């Protein structure tokens, strides 16, 4: 028996590294096509070396199989490149609720050479615990490629922030 | 099959797939279309993909060697993440190289079953780092160069190279910031850190000319809008290099670029003033990675990186 549409099933699969949000909310599901031959899902990696891609593909296929869909294929595309702007509003809310400050708007590229930052980028990131906005970067690379480590001087707690790309 | 669908075949569709040597990651070539842009020689395109892929693969391995040896846990995370980004770029580029050459070689074949003479990375990617200052200087140089290269490559007529570059630009922007911030922190730090950072830059500087030496493959593919001629990166590189070294108090502020063009790494006699080398002819006599001539360091890296593949040929687990 098939439960739900393929898009609903795929959209409900959670991210292996950010289990509080779904792949759809993360913006890595590009297309779900349901045809006579099966389901074709197109996903995109957050980073070139994202080690979670194999888990994500497997999780999608497993979810579709359990929901009663037959053949399922998961394709990967890398163009256009993923951007944190594709994270949905509900995804941002859930990240914040889990203590991970959601990304701000992705940097807009001006013409000419890409500018270099010799100090931490002056991004206004609100502390997900107390809401204080004047937080500081502790380390530009965190537990995964997409996160950095910050600190809130008001509540004195460190927290993670999803970097804008 | 359209190019839009080509990327799917760079990845596996097997539930059991893991991404490490010998774990069955051999399917990604199946179904990758051999489509090439018009007027592009597939052997040349494969050679070019190998150059950029090997740069990323070998530097990634060097960065991995720093994990457990970094000054702080945060830097282990940073270097591991940067290495992971580069490994991802390398996998895409090596897979593309295998498809373009058309001999059926996959990313594992290319990474694990080539001798040093088969590698096309620049020698700077393979050099060992005497200390953390050397590492951040080298990472700063290589990411500044690679970022300028990938930025231009986003306009490549080969849609796969353009897509790989567009993704890489976002990543390498963070790599360059990380390395440059360390160069400034150490250079403008204590007298001891300043001296050690300066020593690292002085060791590195004569090795930079290789980055801007154009290989016939690069020139040929650049002329048909597919590749980037590295000679065209030198001005941007020198601007960034000089700016960061000045901020790090490793170059006098008077060695500014005021007035004229950026000093040339290749032939400008003023280059020594701004900390970049003259004497390109000497540099050109050095080993040239793009032609498969390497320092002994590459063999050491491959001994380690290819150890499992050599001892268990064809092993799968």
């Amino acid at each position: 028996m098939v439960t739900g549409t393929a898009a609903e099933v795929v959209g409900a699969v959670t991210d292996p590294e950010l289990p509080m949000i779904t792949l759809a909310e993360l913006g890595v599901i590009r297309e779900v096509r349901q045809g006579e031959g099966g389901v074709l899902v197109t996903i995109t990696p957050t980073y070139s070396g994202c080690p979670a891609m194999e888990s994500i593909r497997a999780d999608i296929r497993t979810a579709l199989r359990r929901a009663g869909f037959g053949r399922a294929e998961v394709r990967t595309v890398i163009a256009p490149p993923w951007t944190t702007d594709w994270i949905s509003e509900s995804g941002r809310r859930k990240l914040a609720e889990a203590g991970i400050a959601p990304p701000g708007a992705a940097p807009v590229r001006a013409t000419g050479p890409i500018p270099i930052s010799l100090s931490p980028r002056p991004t206004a990131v609100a502390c997900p615990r107390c809401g204080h906005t004047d937080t500081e970067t502790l380390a530009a690379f965190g537990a995964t490629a997409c996160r950095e480590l910050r600190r809130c001087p008001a509540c004195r707690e460190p927290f993670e922030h999803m970097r804008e790309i | 099959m359209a190019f839009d669908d080509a990327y799917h075949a760079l990845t596996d569709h097997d539930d059991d797939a893991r991404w490490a040597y010998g774990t069955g990651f051999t399917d990604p070539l199946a179904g990758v279309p051999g489509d090439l842009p018009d007027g592009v020689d597939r052997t040349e395109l494969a050679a070019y993909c190998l150059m950029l892929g090997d740069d990323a693969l070998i530097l990634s391995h060097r960065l991995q060697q720093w994990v457990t040896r970094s000054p702080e846990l945060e830097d282990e995370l940073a270097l591991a993440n940067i290495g992971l980004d580069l490994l991802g770029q390398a996998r895409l580029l090596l897979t593309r190289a295998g498809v373009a050459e058309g001999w059926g070689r996959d990313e594992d074949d290319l990474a694990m079953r080539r001798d040093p003479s088969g590698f096309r990375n620049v020698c700077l990617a393979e050099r060992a780092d005497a200390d953390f200052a050397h590492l951040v200087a080298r990472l700063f140089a290589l990411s500044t160069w690679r970022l300028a290269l990938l930025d231009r490559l986003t306009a490549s007529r080969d849609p796969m190279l353009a897509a790989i570059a567009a993704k890489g630009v976002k990543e390498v922007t963070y790599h360059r910031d990380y390395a440059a911030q360390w160069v400034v922190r150490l250079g403008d730090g204590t007298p001891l850190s300043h001296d050690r950072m300066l020593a690292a830059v002085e060791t590195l500087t004569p090795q930079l000319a290789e980055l801007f030496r154009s290989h016939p493959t690069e020139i040929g593919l650049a002329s048909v809008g597919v590749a980037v001629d590295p000679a065209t990166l030198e001005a941007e590189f020198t601007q960034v290099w000089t700016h960061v070294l000045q901020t790090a108090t490793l170059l006098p502020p008077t060695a500014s670029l005021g007035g004229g063009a950026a000093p040339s790494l290749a032939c400008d006699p003023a280059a020594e003033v701004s900390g970049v080398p003259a004497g390109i002819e000497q540099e050109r006599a050095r080993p040239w990675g793009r032609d498969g001539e390497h320092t002994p360091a590459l063999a050491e890296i491959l001994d380690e990186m290819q150890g499992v593949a050599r001892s268990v040929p064809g092993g799968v687990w």
Side-chain angles (χ1 to χ4, degrees), chain A residues 38-125:
Chain A
V39 181
L40 175 63
V41 182
T42 307
I43 62 176
T44 194
T46 53
Y47 284 74
S48 296
C50 176
M53 291 304 285
E54 289 300 328
S55 298
I56 289 173
R57 277 189 281 273
D59 290 349
I60 290 172
R61 279 190 295 264
T62 303
L64 286 169
R65 192 168 59 239
R66 285 184 182 158
F69 290 92
R71 189 172 172 277
E73 185 179 350
V74 183
R75 291 185 181 178
T76 306
V77 297
I78 59 170
W82 181 79
T83 160
T84 41
D85 287 350
W86 291 349
I87 300 176
S88 70
E89 281 308 313
S90 61
R92 286 163 197 271
R93 193 181 64 246
K94 290 178 188 174
L95 284 172
E97 285 167 2
I100 299 174
V108 177
R109 171 73 192 280
T111 54
I114 298 167
I116 192 165
S117 265
L118 291 183
S119 52
R121 292 175 188 274
T123 320
V125 180

Side-chain angles (χ1 to χ4, degrees), chain B residues 59-72:
Chain B
L59 179 59
S60 171
H61 193 82
R62 275 287 184 227
L63 293 172
Q64 291 166 49
Q65 291 177 329
W66 273 94
V67 175
T68 73
R69 294 195 284 152
S70 302
E72 293 174 340

Side-chain angles (χ1 to χ4, degrees), chain A residues 2 28 38 40 51 56 59 70 77 79 82 97 108 124 133-134 139 147 155-156 158 165:
Chain A
V2 172
V28 301
L40 175 63
I56 289 173
D59 290 349
V77 297
W82 181 79
E97 285 167 2
V108 177
T133 52
D134 193 16
R147 288 180 270 176
C155 69
R156 303 195 171 184
I165 69 164

Side-chain angles (χ1 to χ4, degrees), chain B residues 125-149:
Chain B
E126 73 207 25
R127 291 186 190 272
D129 304 298
D131 61 16
F132 190 72
H134 277 82
L135 169 70
V136 293
R138 205 165 60 91
L139 184 59
F140 168 51
L142 282 167
S143 35
T144 299
W145 173 70
R146 189 171 181 85
L147 182 59
L149 195 164

